[in-house]
């Protein structure tokens, strides 16, 4: 594939990844002159209609999604039985590679990455797209700490028909949910389960369930309790473990019902708040396998069990409901009779009722005093972040104005103030990357100013305000200073012709320039020796400070006139003298064909460029001998 051009546009340059059903290449977009990633379906699957449909479905599923934590899809095509998807090229590592390299990720990294993955799922779920194959291999991490979720190859619309009609399930055994293992209907809670498994792997460095076959792993997901992540990594907080365990409940109804609910707990942990209370077979590739059907006793309480109850179970259920109904009716009748038999006698004093006063917005102490004045008791049941000042009442149960008996306890929720977040480090990032990082952490980009920097490349952030790890309310702006690169100061090149090298150096240094290469040319004028005859940059040219200017100096030179020119032709003598830098002149009617009889001066040395007179005579003609008269 290397060197092949797909669609007359995408030139394959190198292989960068391989999955169970496809290979990913880096390719140059010849139209836009940028690098993209091209996912190519493996040849052995190109004739499998189901898999081919799933492959093309990836582009359809995510093409209209636009989110900083989701890899963008640019194009899709087929040619010569090659089926491919063109997507955003993300320079970085997969989360799986990061986990393998580090072993265990810190709690801070786990929370940060998990929240970004959750944001991607939130965007997909809000568009009715379920990923169904969330695993570290499908999560890219850039050098800026930005998460990019990829591979929506088996995604589906949440309202589309389930794939159980085929009796097959698709996914990665280490990460798929119990309902996926059974081949039952899946919804967003299946992605939440997979994210919980990924979080478990991040904090422990291993998957919770492993075995030699995907079927065995699937059964463990369905039947075995999740091992405690804190037992493997004591640094995991109780709150983080609670999030992981809740996300990975066997029964979907016991999990987080929406990804937003999970994000709320993740954000609370990120803010420092406390919450109540061996791979022998490569099973991490997306696979197609038969649905796992365990013993019936493990299915009995599964809300996704689509088998109909037996007639005996129906009869038992009906009898039980009837008995409950009889007990409830008897209790209601007894209560009515008792009330009439113990009615208030004339003149009996009724227990006094009061209205709950308006205490919303009051401080805890003010609300306590207001309730005490009417004979009620205040109880604080918790705090919540809000825009209201800290320690003020933001919820009242029962509501204000409700009539209650004196002495009743009124529950209130107090404001914990605005949500406090910690400012991330965005130095070294571009403005575009910084805006995404800030958004992922609950902040917005503030003002952008520019400064020159000798060390930081242009376009990268060299400073931020507030500083890293400053606690700020959610939605606060972070101002940045962006490097303009080294400051460019222009200097005017001086006129150095006729100056000595020392003088030229002083002139250049005065304007922040320096002498570069120095060359010499010969001269016969001793007065010009050592003076500049030429400079590489013309005078008055504006150049960057520090630029080097090359110069050429005259050097006084003497030449020895060759003694072997006598007897040669005048033309040959002229050529030889010119080659030595002298100025030959033919005198007294000498022509090039004459033989040289005299040079003036006739011997050296003479100054370079000196005039040399050349005197020549015609070559003598030999006389033919006279004829002898015949005798």
């Amino acid at each position: 594939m290397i060197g092949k051009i797909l669609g007359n546009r995408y030139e394959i340059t190198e292989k960068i990844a391989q999955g169970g059903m496809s290979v990913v290449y880096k390719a140059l977009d010849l139209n836009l002159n940028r690098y993209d990633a091209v996912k190519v379906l493996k040849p052995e699957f190109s004739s499998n209609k189901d898999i081919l449909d799933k492959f093309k479905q990836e582009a359809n599923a995510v093409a209209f999604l636009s989110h900083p934590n989701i890899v963008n899809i640019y194009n899709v095509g087929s040619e010569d039985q090659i089926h491919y998807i063109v997507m955003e090229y993300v320079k970085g590592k997969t989360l799986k590679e990061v986990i393998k390299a580090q072993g265990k990720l810190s709690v801070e990294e786990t929370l940060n990455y998990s929240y970004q993955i959750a944001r991607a799922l939130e965007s997909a779920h809000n568009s009715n797209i379920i990923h169904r194959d969330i695993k570290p291999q499908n999560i890219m991490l850039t050098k800026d700490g930005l998460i990019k979720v990829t591979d929506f190859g088996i995604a589906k619309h949440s309202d589309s028909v389930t794939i159980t009609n085929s009796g097959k399930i698709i996914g990665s055994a280490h990460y798929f949910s119990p309902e996926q293992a059974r081949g039952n209907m899946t919804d967003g809670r299946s992605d939440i389960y997979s994210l919980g498994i990924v979080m478990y792997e991040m904090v422990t460095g291993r998957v919770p369930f492993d075995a030699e076959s995907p079927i065995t792993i699937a059964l463990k997901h369905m039947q075995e309790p999740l091992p405690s992540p804190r037992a493997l990594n004591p640094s995991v907080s109780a709150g983080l473990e609670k999030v992981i365990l809740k996300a990975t409940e066997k029964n979907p109804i016991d999990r987080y019902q929406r990804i937003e609910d999970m994000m709320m707990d993740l954000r609370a942990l990120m803010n420092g708040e406390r919450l109540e209370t061996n791979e022998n077979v490569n099973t991490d590739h997306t696979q197609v396998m038969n649905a796992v059907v365990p013993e019936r006793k493990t299915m009995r309480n599964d809300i996704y069990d689509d088998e109909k109850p037996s007639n005996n179970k129906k009869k038992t259920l009906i009898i039980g409901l009837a008995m409950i109904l009889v007990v409830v009716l008897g209790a209601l009748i007894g209560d009515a009779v008792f009330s009439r038999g113990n009615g208030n006698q004339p003149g009996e004093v009724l227990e006094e009722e009061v209205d709950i006063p308006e205490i919303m917005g009051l401080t805890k102490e003010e609300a306590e005093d207001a309730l005490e004045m009417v004979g009620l008791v205040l109880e604080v049941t918790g705090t919540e972040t809000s825009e209201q000042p800290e320690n003020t009442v933001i919820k009242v149960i029962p509501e204000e104005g409700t009539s209650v008996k004196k002495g009743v306890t009124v529950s209130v929720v107090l404001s914990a103030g605005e949500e406090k977040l910690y400012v991330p480090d965005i130095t070294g990032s571009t403005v575009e990357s910084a805006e995404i990082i800030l958004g992922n952490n609950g902040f917005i980009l503030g003002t952008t100013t520019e400064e020159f920097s000798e060390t930081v490349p242009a376009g990268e952030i060299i400073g931020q305000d507030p500083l890293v790890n400053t606690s700020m309310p959610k939605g606060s702006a972070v101002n940045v200073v962006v490097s303009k690169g080294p400051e460019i100061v222009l200097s005017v090149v001086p006129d150095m012709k006729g100056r000595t090298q020392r003088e030229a150096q002083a002139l250049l240094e005065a304007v922040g320039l320096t002498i570069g290469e120095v060359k010499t040319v010969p001269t016969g004028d001793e007065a010009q020796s050592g003076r500049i005859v030429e400079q590489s940059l013309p005078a008055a040219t504006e150049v960057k400070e520090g630029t080097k200017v090359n110069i050429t100096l005259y050097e006084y030179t003497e030449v020895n006139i060759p003694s072997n020119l006598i007897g040669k032709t005048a033309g040959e003598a002229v050529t030889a003298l010119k080659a030595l830098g002298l100025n030959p002149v033919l005198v007294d009617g000498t022509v090039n064909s004459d033989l040289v009889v005299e040079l003036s001066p006739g011997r050296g040395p003479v100054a370079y460029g000196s005039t040399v007179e050349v005197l020549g005579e015609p070559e003598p003609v030999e006389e033919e001998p006279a004829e002898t008269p015949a005798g």
Side-chain angles (χ1 to χ4, degrees):
M1 286 291 291
I2 306 300
K4 186 175 182 60
I5 299 178
L6 296 175
N8 295 320
R9 177 171 180 177
Y10 305 102
E11 182 180 0
I12 305 298
T13 59
E14 63 178 291
K15 177 181 174 181
I16 55 179
Q18 179 169 318
M21 300 180 188
S22 59
V23 181
V24 182
Y25 297 94
K26 182 179 178 181
L28 177 64
D29 185 333
L30 301 176
N31 288 1
L32 299 178
N33 194 30
R34 74 176 179 198
Y35 282 105
D36 295 332
V38 177
K39 176 183 284 190
V40 179
L41 186 66
K42 288 183 176 179
E44 58 264 34
F45 298 116
S46 61
S47 58
N48 186 317
K49 185 178 184 302
D50 288 340
I51 292 179
L52 183 57
D53 288 344
K54 297 288 185 294
F55 183 77
K56 293 180 178 179
Q57 183 175 313
E58 175 173 6
N60 297 328
V62 76
F64 60 88
L65 294 180
S66 178
H67 192 274
N69 294 122
I70 295 177
V71 173
N72 291 315
I73 298 292
Y74 296 142
N75 203 348
V76 61
S78 298
E79 65 176 64
D80 300 329
Q81 293 300 307
I82 298 174
H83 306 283
Y84 62 92
I85 299 172
V86 183
M87 60 186 67
E88 174 186 2
Y89 173 63
V90 180
K91 190 174 183 180
K93 298 180 179 179
T94 66
L95 185 57
K96 188 72 173 181
E97 292 172 330
V98 174
I99 294 173
K100 284 185 176 180
Q102 296 184 212
K104 300 174 184 177
L105 273 58
S106 68
V107 171
E108 292 74 17
E109 288 175 316
T110 300
L111 289 172
N112 181 19
Y113 300 158
S114 301
Y115 190 78
Q116 292 190 59
I117 298 168
R119 288 194 70 209
L121 292 177
E122 177 189 30
S123 176
H125 291 180
N126 287 340
S127 297
N128 296 322
I129 296 297
I130 304 165
H131 191 286
R132 301 198 302 171
D133 200 16
I134 290 296
K135 59 185 178 182
Q137 294 89 333
N138 289 339
I139 298 165
M140 296 296 298
L141 180 63
T142 71
K143 67 174 184 177
D144 296 326
L146 180 64
I147 286 289
K148 290 275 190 179
V149 176
T150 185
D151 203 345
F152 281 73
I154 62 170
K156 75 178 183 71
H157 282 274
S158 58
D159 56 357
S160 66
V161 177
T162 179
I163 59 173
T164 52
N165 294 336
S166 66
K168 304 288 183 180
I169 56 174
I170 299 180
S172 302
H174 283 126
Y175 305 94
F176 58 30
S177 63
E179 59 268 26
Q180 277 180 289
R182 296 187 180 101
N184 288 339
M185 286 283 291
T186 56
D187 57 20
R189 293 173 294 184
S190 184
D191 284 344
I192 291 174
Y193 182 94
S194 298
L195 175 54
I197 300 297
V198 172
M199 292 177 64
Y200 185 100
E201 186 175 1
M202 281 194 278
V203 296
T204 65
R206 65 177 70 172
V207 290
F209 303 120
D210 201 6
E212 293 188 359
S213 75
I215 298 296
T216 306
I217 297 172
L219 285 170
K220 289 186 176 185
H221 277 289
M222 294 160 57
Q223 298 173 349
E224 295 186 10
L226 194 80
S228 168
R230 297 185 76 189
L232 296 174
N233 184 359
S235 67
V236 176
S237 66
L240 178 54
E241 182 176 64
K242 181 176 180 180
V243 170
I244 294 173
L245 295 179
K246 185 174 178 64
T248 54
E249 288 283 357
K250 305 294 182 190
N251 195 328
I253 203 168
D254 295 326
R255 291 178 213 148
Y256 291 102
Q257 297 302 290
R258 303 180 311 142
I259 192 65
E260 290 86 352
D261 299 331
M262 185 177 182
M263 291 171 65
M264 186 179 300
D265 281 352
L266 288 173
R267 176 56 69 188
L269 293 176
M270 293 169 74
N271 295 339
E273 300 175 17
R274 298 182 61 183
L275 301 181
E276 295 289 335
T277 97
N278 252 314
E279 304 182 353
N280 294 324
V281 176
N282 189 352
T283 54
D284 288 344
H285 284 162
T286 302
Q287 302 171 55
V288 180
M289 53 185 276
N290 290 319
V292 182
V293 183
E295 296 179 9
R296 288 294 302 144
K297 63 182 180 180
T298 63
M299 301 279 283
R300 194 163 295 160
N301 295 321
D302 184 3
I303 65 168
Y304 281 79
D305 182 4
D306 53 5
E307 291 187 20
K308 297 181 179 179
S310 65
N311 291 331
N312 290 335
K313 290 181 180 179
K314 286 184 178 179
K315 291 177 182 178
T316 303
L317 180 61
I318 294 172
I319 292 171
L321 291 174
M323 292 177 64
I324 293 172
L325 181 60
V326 170
V327 172
V328 172
L329 288 174
L332 292 173
I333 295 170
D335 181 64
V337 172
F338 179 84
S339 297
R340 286 197 297 271
N342 293 280
N344 294 318
Q345 301 300 320
E348 183 180 352
V349 178
L350 295 172
E351 191 170 354
E352 185 178 354
E353 290 189 348
V354 295
D355 293 340
I356 297 177
E358 295 182 359
I359 57 175
M360 291 279 284
L362 300 181
T363 64
K364 172 180 175 292
E365 293 74 19
E366 293 170 342
E368 201 167 24
D369 292 341
L371 292 175
E372 188 176 342
M373 288 180 62
V374 296
L376 301 176
V377 179
L378 179 140
E379 178 187 33
V380 178
T381 58
T383 61
E384 292 182 8
T385 57
S386 75
E387 297 179 355
Q388 300 302 317
E390 192 173 351
N391 201 43
T392 57
V393 177
I394 56 175
K395 289 183 182 178
V396 182
I397 305 172
E399 296 180 354
E400 297 172 326
T402 303
S403 295
V404 296
K405 294 178 181 180
K406 274 193 175 183
V408 165
T409 298
V410 178
S411 300
V412 299
V413 175
L414 300 179
S415 170
E418 292 185 296
E419 185 177 0
K420 299 289 185 180
L421 306 176
Y422 293 96
V423 178
D425 185 3
I426 53 176
T427 55
S429 303
T430 63
V431 173
E432 293 77 12
S433 295
E435 191 167 12
I436 295 172
I437 295 170
L438 290 173
N440 287 337
N441 286 272
F443 296 97
I444 62 172
L445 184 67
T447 59
T448 300
T449 56
E450 294 182 325
E451 289 184 5
F452 292 107
S453 173
E454 297 296 326
T455 57
V456 180
E460 293 187 5
I461 294 174
I462 57 178
Q464 64 182 83
D465 179 33
L467 297 176
V468 179
N469 291 329
T470 302
S471 177
M472 296 286 289
K474 182 179 181 180
S476 298
V478 178
N479 303 322
V480 297
V481 180
V482 180
S483 170
K484 294 198 293 185
E487 184 175 8
I488 298 177
V489 179
L490 297 179
S491 300
V492 178
V493 178
D495 185 359
M496 298 176 288
K497 290 183 179 179
R499 304 276 187 175
T500 64
Q501 182 174 343
R502 185 186 295 272
E503 291 172 338
Q505 186 172 346
L507 288 173
L508 291 172
E509 289 179 353
V511 294
L513 304 176
T514 59
I515 289 179
E517 184 180 357
V518 178
K519 295 181 180 180
T520 60
V521 293
T523 180
D525 186 351
E526 289 190 74
Q528 292 296 318
S529 184
R531 297 191 177 274
I532 296 173
V533 62
E534 186 178 341
Q535 58 190 70
S536 60
L537 295 174
T541 303
E542 286 189 344
V543 295
K544 181 181 175 181
E545 189 178 61
T547 299
K548 293 182 178 181
V549 183
N550 303 329
I551 58 174
T552 302
L553 301 175
Y554 277 128
E555 182 179 37
Y556 178 73
T557 305
E558 291 184 337
V559 180
N560 287 314
I561 298 175
S563 58
N564 61 349
L565 297 181
I566 302 297
K568 293 184 178 296
T569 66
E572 292 173 334
V574 167
T575 299
L577 292 171
K578 284 183 176 180
L580 295 172
L582 299 176
N583 180 31
V585 177
L586 299 178
V587 297
D588 295 340
T590 300
V591 297
N592 288 334
S593 59
D594 291 345
L595 298 179
V596 177
V597 295
E598 183 180 351
L599 296 174
S600 180
R603 62 182 62 186
V606 297
Y608 181 88
S610 297
T611 298
V612 178
E613 294 181 345
V614 180
L615 178 62
E617 293 181 352
E619 184 177 357
V621 179
E622 293 184 3
E623 294 183 3
E624 294 182 0
E627 292 184 2
T628 305

